[in-house]
Amino acid sequence: MIEEIRNEFKNATDLFTNVLDNGFWAVEIAYFPSLCDEKIKDGVLVPLSYRFDPDEFRRMLNSNPKYEHADDPKEWANLILKGYVLLKIEGKHFSFKSDRTPVTQIDAPTVESTLQGPQTAFTEDLNINMFLLRLRYNVPSLTVEPFDKGTLSRTSLFVVYDHRLVNAKILKALYKQLDKVKLDLLQSSGQMVKQLTEKNHRVFPTILQTERPDRVADMLSKGKIAVMLNGSRFVLLLPVRLYDFMHAMDDEYEAFWMVRLLILVRYIAVALTITLPALYIAIVSYNPEIFRVQIAFTIDGSRAGVPYPSFIEVFIMLFMIEALIEASIRLPRIVGSTATTVGGLILGQAAQQAGLVSSIMIIVTSVVAISNFVIPNTTFSQSVRLMKYLFIIIAMIYGISGVAVLFFALIVYLCGLRSFGEPYLALFTNETKELPK
Amino acid sequence: MSRYFYYHVIYVGLINVMLFVPWTLVQHRFDGAVSAMAIAVVLGTFVAYATTSLYLRFPQKSLPDILNSLLPRWLALTINLLASTLWILAGILVIYSYSATIQQFFNPDMNPYLFLLLMTAAGVWGASRCTRSVQFAQEIMLLISAPLIIMILFKAVFNPWLDWDAIRVTAGYIRTPPSFVSLCAATFVFAGYNTLAVFNRLLPQGTQIRYRWIIPLFCTFFLLVSFFVPIGFHGTVGVAQYLYIWSVTADSMIMEYGFVYRVLYIFLLLYTALSLMFAMNTWHTAMEFLKACRPKYKPDPDEYPTPKINWLINIGFAALTFAYAIWTNEQRNQLVNQFWLIARTFSDITSVVLLSFLVWKTTRRRRSQIPSDAAAPES
């Protein structure tokens, strides 16, 4: 056995192979010490060496669930890479499960924090994640199906759903997409999202990524499917609708009318962040007569010192704010605050005093940026961030009527999207009703 | 699900402004418009009730499906082609007159074809979606514009500058014999039921369209407002001077508290949404009629992704719009509008007759089948 394995892993110097001879048996052993943990000591080495008893050892081979027959030589390489120990005892081959799981602390959510909701987030370990999910959604009908994806990384993933609630059609569509997955390295849930979405779905996300176990449990109870990835903090949920991206978990825990108000605020914020820069261009350069005279004069007066057309002003400011957002994500925390202060000062005061941009534009920029952060989901918020440039371009050509027409086109686009065959944006369609009971 | 049906009724009731219905009525205000409106309320309600009941007899089937399955092929093909022409023309007329309105009131310096390009592009984009998506988009757009609709209607009706005497004077002409064109124009306000021709596919089996009194109630209201409010603002004689009557009427109102002073802009924004919805629906319906002409056609209201043929057909419609815009001018546009309104009235009445005939035919066939089916197990 050792020779065959050595042949397969020619240059893997970190592979450990040996023949352990305790005087009675000569046992061949092969494993990667870096992938295995201390369980190997109690499970293999101690019973084989100074506590050795052939009968007891045979009993253990048959009864310990960690031992399994591994008679197929083709499987050996795969097993070893997954953290199994391969043994050849009395001419028979066994695998012993001893994969190392880093002791992960369950920590608080970093991307989707809530005020009073549960303060746990998923970790990068699949088993702990499964534990966290079972803690909140623990019924016998919860189905877990394991898969392996990525030709090099062999990342294991679980497809989790409640088989009483799930829509079989969607499950089938998911398996079809999973078969198509072609990846060498599967390292993050984002890659999986890209692989699972169709080509014409690339602007708005049609799969939700979340780090909150309570959200996953909530979605499972609505008949949705979760895909959990080993080594990723984020779990994929599908099929989803646009509202799910605008939904914070706090909405489930706070008072009813307060939540309605907050949701309304969020939608208004999205509308503002998409259209405000475009409306600024349209009002300043095309149709100042729309506003009443006083406001039109105020806007024009604030632009008195600005030497170029409004769209250049908008592009300058939006570039600044986008750069600032990018910088504050990438920079380490300590330097980050400096960058934001400097950027904020430049954006806020100096640019306006220098006559490079109008003060109204500064307000527009900050409203756009703040409104964008109101969206609870990062992926969706980035799509929205992209959308506003389309509106700016149309406003440069057509003015305010162009903005209205493009808004219509956007609604049509969103209504035309499907997330695994389910409508993405539709009002008042009760989804639980459509599910087979 | 029947709420989708009423969305159609409501936006078709409102879009009459863009098809020169108020203009046509106002031209005949002293010789038969008022009596024609009174008849139209009865006739329109009757046709609406009849058509919806007839379509409900064919659950989940569109008009082309019904025709294809029950009529000889050549006849079905002819009717489908004729119907699609009528639907295409509706979208073209609305897009053209909306672009002309925008050209006059919003961007007078802009090349008219540039704006037409934007409108047709949006129309093509909307109409090429699948039927279900069109329906969803429709609902959202209508609900977004609902506050604007309500606001403008209320502002108009309760405006202190509205001269009720002028309205009373005009209403007094009810005893004049009705004029034919006015009748056709006025019945258009009720024509929302026509969209069932394709959207009936999405009404699930066993749907009942309840609260059908909404149709006469709302549509009569829209009809009265779109005819009488301009008269109230501009006077019985002055009203005839304007072509885009409602844009001018909207411009007669102001909003005292708000960013926007002139109601005209709110009105134009609202009609951007309504015109695009109308173009989306009519072109989509026309597209479905054309697609049904193919011999191996299978109806699918939820096809995804969008097939290429949808794009091709709709780009064809857009090209037709440009051809129409090049050919037409104000007078020709009026003529085509009147022609379309008349043709539409005829086609509606024909479709009621045709559908009743088909219902009669299927029930007779079913009756003749039952004895043979009952006999079958015994043999």
Side-chain angles (χ1 to χ4, degrees):
Chain A
M1 180 187 86
I2 287 179
E3 258 176 44
E4 287 161 39
I5 290 173
R6 272 283 165 207
N7 275 339
E8 201 140 356
F9 297 90
K10 274 207 178 101
N11 297 320
T13 44
D14 56 338
L15 175 72
F16 175 83
T17 50
N18 209 344
V19 181
L20 308 179
D21 196 341
N22 58 4
F24 299 91
W25 290 356
V27 173
E28 289 180 21
I29 185 166
Y31 67 98
F32 276 106
S34 55
L35 294 179
C36 300
D37 62 359
E38 290 300 306
K39 283 186 287 253
I40 195 171
K41 196 176 92 189
D42 295 332
V44 184
L45 299 180
V46 173
L48 197 62
S49 51
Y50 54 88
R51 292 258 175 86
F52 185 71
D53 179 339
D55 283 340
E56 263 181 40
F57 200 89
R58 278 190 206 103
R59 256 204 313 277
M60 183 177 77
L61 278 179
N62 290 329
S63 60
N64 190 339
K66 293 204 166 199
Y67 279 102
E68 267 177 48
H69 286 282
D71 298 322
D72 186 6
K74 280 180 206 149
E75 280 295 300
W76 287 349
N78 206 356
L79 285 171
I80 285 194
L81 285 174
K82 275 188 185 162
Y84 284 80
V85 179
L86 277 190
L87 298 154
K88 186 182 178 188
I89 303 164
E90 297 183 297
K92 281 183 193 158
H93 298 94
F94 290 92
S95 68
F96 175 74
K97 190 170 191 283
S98 172
D99 52 333
R100 182 195 296 271
T101 41
V103 184
T104 324
Q105 199 100 47
I106 299 164
D107 50 55
T110 52
V111 187
E112 301 165 77
S113 41
T114 59
L115 281 178
Q116 293 193 320
Q119 302 291 338
T120 48
F122 282 122
T123 64
E124 302 207 335
D125 182 82
L126 200 51
N127 292 319
I128 296 182
N129 287 355
M130 210 52 226
F131 158 74
L132 285 173
L133 182 59
R134 285 247 180 224
L135 201 65
R136 296 183 189 280
Y137 196 88
N138 213 355
V139 285
S141 56
L142 189 71
T143 315
V144 180
E145 294 190 42
F147 285 89
D148 270 353
K149 289 293 160 197
T151 47
L152 295 179
S153 62
R154 302 266 177 96
T155 313
S156 51
L157 54 93
F158 285 165
V159 173
V160 186
Y161 55 90
D162 189 329
H163 70 77
R164 286 175 311 168
L165 303 170
V166 79
N167 185 337
K169 235 192 208 163
I170 296 164
L171 203 60
K172 221 169 133 191
L174 172 66
Y175 288 151
K176 216 170 129 197
Q177 284 298 113
L178 271 177
D179 280 341
K180 282 193 216 154
V181 170
K182 272 192 194 126
L183 268 180
D184 287 340
L185 289 172
L186 176 55
Q187 322 212 52
S188 87
S189 53
Q191 288 173 305
M192 204 63 202
V193 170
K194 274 193 203 165
Q195 291 285 321
L196 289 181
T197 41
E198 289 151 47
K199 273 200 186 110
N200 44 3
H201 271 163
R202 298 275 163 91
V203 182
F204 280 91
T206 48
I207 296 177
L208 179 68
Q209 296 180 59
T210 181
E211 57 169 355
R212 300 190 61 89
D214 49 344
R215 191 190 287 272
V216 177
D218 181 47
M219 291 296 230
L220 284 179
S221 72
K222 288 177 188 158
K224 314 255 166 168
I225 305 166
V227 179
M228 303 170 102
L229 243 70
N230 201 5
S232 167
R233 249 177 105 81
F234 294 91
V235 172
L236 311 185
L237 286 167
L238 57 111
V240 281
R241 301 180 165 214
L242 189 136
Y243 325 120
D244 296 324
F245 292 95
M246 298 292 285
H247 176 261
M249 272 326 273
D250 268 331
D251 298 355
E252 305 279 323
Y253 310 128
E254 302 286 332
F256 181 82
W257 286 111
M258 192 60 213
V259 167
R260 290 294 165 285
L261 178 72
L262 286 178
I263 290 175
L264 183 69
V265 166
R266 267 180 231 143
Y267 281 97
I268 293 174
V270 169
L272 278 182
T273 192
I274 289 181
T275 54
L276 208 55
L279 286 179
Y280 178 77
I281 294 177
I283 295 285
V284 167
S285 303
Y286 277 86
N287 314 99
E289 74 274 11
I290 288 180
F291 278 177
R292 62 167 57 222
V293 180
Q294 293 90 327
I295 301 175
F297 277 151
T298 313
I299 296 174
D300 203 45
S302 83
R303 262 183 61 78
V306 182
Y308 32 67
S310 58
F311 66 90
I312 294 183
E313 193 187 349
V314 166
F315 275 125
I316 291 177
M317 285 310 276
L318 286 183
F319 172 76
M320 298 279 265
I321 197 80
E322 297 289 356
L324 198 64
I325 293 171
E326 266 310 286
S328 44
I329 294 172
R330 305 274 172 264
L331 279 179
R333 289 262 173 268
I334 314 157
V335 196
S337 62
T338 324
T340 38
T341 319
V342 172
L345 273 179
I346 291 172
L347 287 175
Q349 281 301 143
Q352 191 252 327
Q353 276 174 0
L356 291 178
V357 291
S358 68
S359 45
I360 304 271
M361 186 60 221
I362 301 227
I363 300 173
V364 168
T365 318
S366 22
V367 170
V368 166
I370 294 168
S371 311
N372 208 346
F373 291 132
V374 169
I375 302 169
N377 185 285
T378 343
T379 334
F380 192 72
S381 127
Q382 274 168 354
S383 311
V384 167
R385 221 167 115 191
L386 186 67
M387 269 300 121
K388 67 175 174 262
Y389 291 99
L390 268 186
F391 276 84
I392 290 173
I393 290 167
I394 206 94
M396 279 160 58
I397 307 170
Y398 288 107
I400 202 155
S401 36
V403 175
V405 173
L406 189 63
F407 187 75
F408 166 81
L410 177 67
I411 297 277
V412 169
Y413 174 74
L414 289 173
C415 288
L417 277 184
R418 295 284 183 274
S419 170
F420 287 83
E422 293 284 286
Y424 188 63
L425 176 61
L427 294 178
F428 316 123
T429 37
N430 195 354
E431 40 196 331
T432 44
K433 229 188 217 168
E434 294 161 14
L435 295 170
K437 282 277 166 193
Chain B
M1 299 308 265
S2 61
R3 68 172 191 277
Y4 291 114
F5 169 70
Y6 291 112
Y7 296 142
H8 288 286
V9 170
I10 286 172
Y11 85 81
V12 172
L14 286 166
I15 202 71
N16 69 66
V17 173
M18 284 294 148
L19 282 162
F20 296 98
V21 169
W23 183 83
T24 314
L25 290 174
V26 160
Q27 295 304 310
H28 295 276
R29 66 197 177 286
F30 298 133
D31 49 358
V34 187
S35 47
M37 278 161 64
I39 297 173
V41 170
V42 180
L43 184 67
T45 312
F46 169 73
V47 177
Y49 267 75
T51 316
T52 41
S53 317
L54 287 170
Y55 273 117
L56 290 181
R57 292 288 195 93
F58 298 97
Q60 291 179 313
K61 271 191 159 182
S62 67
L63 186 59
D65 303 340
I66 300 170
L67 297 179
N68 281 342
S69 60
L70 292 175
L71 285 182
R73 180 149 169 74
W74 62 270
L75 192 57
L77 200 69
T78 324
I79 296 177
N80 280 346
L81 285 176
L82 280 177
S84 70
T85 322
L86 213 56
W87 283 101
I88 299 168
L89 201 56
I92 291 177
L93 287 175
V94 164
I95 285 198
Y96 175 76
S97 52
Y98 181 74
S99 304
T101 315
I102 285 286
Q103 164 77 9
Q104 279 194 338
F105 293 90
F106 236 131
N107 304 327
D109 317 328
M110 194 186 274
N111 180 350
Y113 295 109
L114 193 62
F115 194 75
L116 197 64
L117 179 71
L118 179 72
M119 288 298 285
T120 48
V124 169
W125 174 252
S128 56
R129 304 297 104 187
C130 68
T131 314
R132 197 177 293 275
S133 306
V134 168
Q135 203 174 43
F136 290 150
Q138 160 110 7
E139 176 173 39
I140 293 171
M141 287 312 290
L142 196 70
L143 289 184
I144 290 177
S145 31
L148 298 183
I149 299 173
I150 294 167
M151 195 192 81
I152 291 178
L153 285 179
F154 268 73
K155 266 210 122 41
V157 176
F158 294 103
N159 202 296
W161 296 100
L162 193 71
D163 183 8
W164 286 93
D165 284 339
I167 294 174
R168 231 168 278 147
V169 167
T170 324
Y173 283 85
I174 193 158
R175 286 170 207 282
T176 51
S179 91
F180 180 64
V181 182
S182 315
L183 179 67
C184 295
T187 43
F188 171 77
V189 179
F190 294 82
Y193 53 82
N194 268 321
T195 40
L196 276 183
V198 160
F199 288 88
N200 196 34
R201 277 182 193 162
L202 291 176
L203 291 182
Q205 186 131 24
T207 308
Q208 284 182 327
I209 297 186
R210 276 193 218 113
Y211 317 115
R212 257 186 270 183
W213 45 263
I214 288 178
I215 305 173
L217 188 73
F218 274 61
C219 295
T220 311
F221 179 64
F222 292 149
L223 182 62
L224 293 179
V225 165
S226 76
F227 176 68
F228 282 115
V229 167
I231 291 176
F233 272 107
H234 305 297
T236 49
V237 179
V239 70
Q241 290 173 358
Y242 305 107
L243 182 57
Y244 296 102
I245 294 179
W246 258 94
S247 306
V248 181
T249 308
D251 211 10
S252 316
M253 295 179 260
I254 54 166
M255 288 194 296
E256 318 218 345
Y257 318 100
F259 294 108
V260 185
Y261 200 56
R262 293 162 73 181
V263 174
L264 172 68
Y265 296 112
I266 307 281
F267 173 80
L268 289 180
L269 273 186
L270 168 66
Y271 271 87
T272 316
L274 289 177
S275 313
L276 285 172
M277 270 157 61
F278 188 78
M280 172 173 78
N281 276 300
T282 48
W283 283 4
H284 181 78
T285 312
M287 180 188 81
E288 292 293 331
F289 269 103
L290 281 185
K291 275 163 77 180
C293 292
R294 283 184 302 177
K296 285 181 187 168
Y297 172 69
K298 261 189 194 160
D300 178 14
D302 205 359
E303 51 191 3
Y304 187 85
T306 313
K308 214 176 250 168
I309 181 102
N310 285 13
W311 287 105
L312 290 178
I313 293 177
N314 278 300
I315 288 171
F317 296 167
L320 281 177
T321 314
F322 271 88
Y324 179 76
I326 292 167
W327 171 79
T328 195
N329 53 32
E330 305 270 278
Q331 279 80 29
R332 283 175 179 172
N333 193 30
Q334 298 305 322
L335 270 180
V336 176
N337 259 300
Q338 313 251 309
F339 160 75
W340 185 83
L341 287 171
I342 294 169
R344 204 220 89 250
T345 315
F346 277 108
S347 99
D348 281 9
I349 292 169
T350 322
S351 70
V352 169
V353 174
L354 188 67
L355 282 171
S356 349
F357 167 70
L358 292 175
V359 166
W360 173 75
K361 202 175 155 188
T362 42
T363 43
R364 200 185 54 167
R365 187 192 286 172
R366 209 174 293 148
R367 258 188 223 138
S368 61
Q369 261 175 6
I370 291 170
S372 62
D373 283 352
E378 293 174 3
S379 60

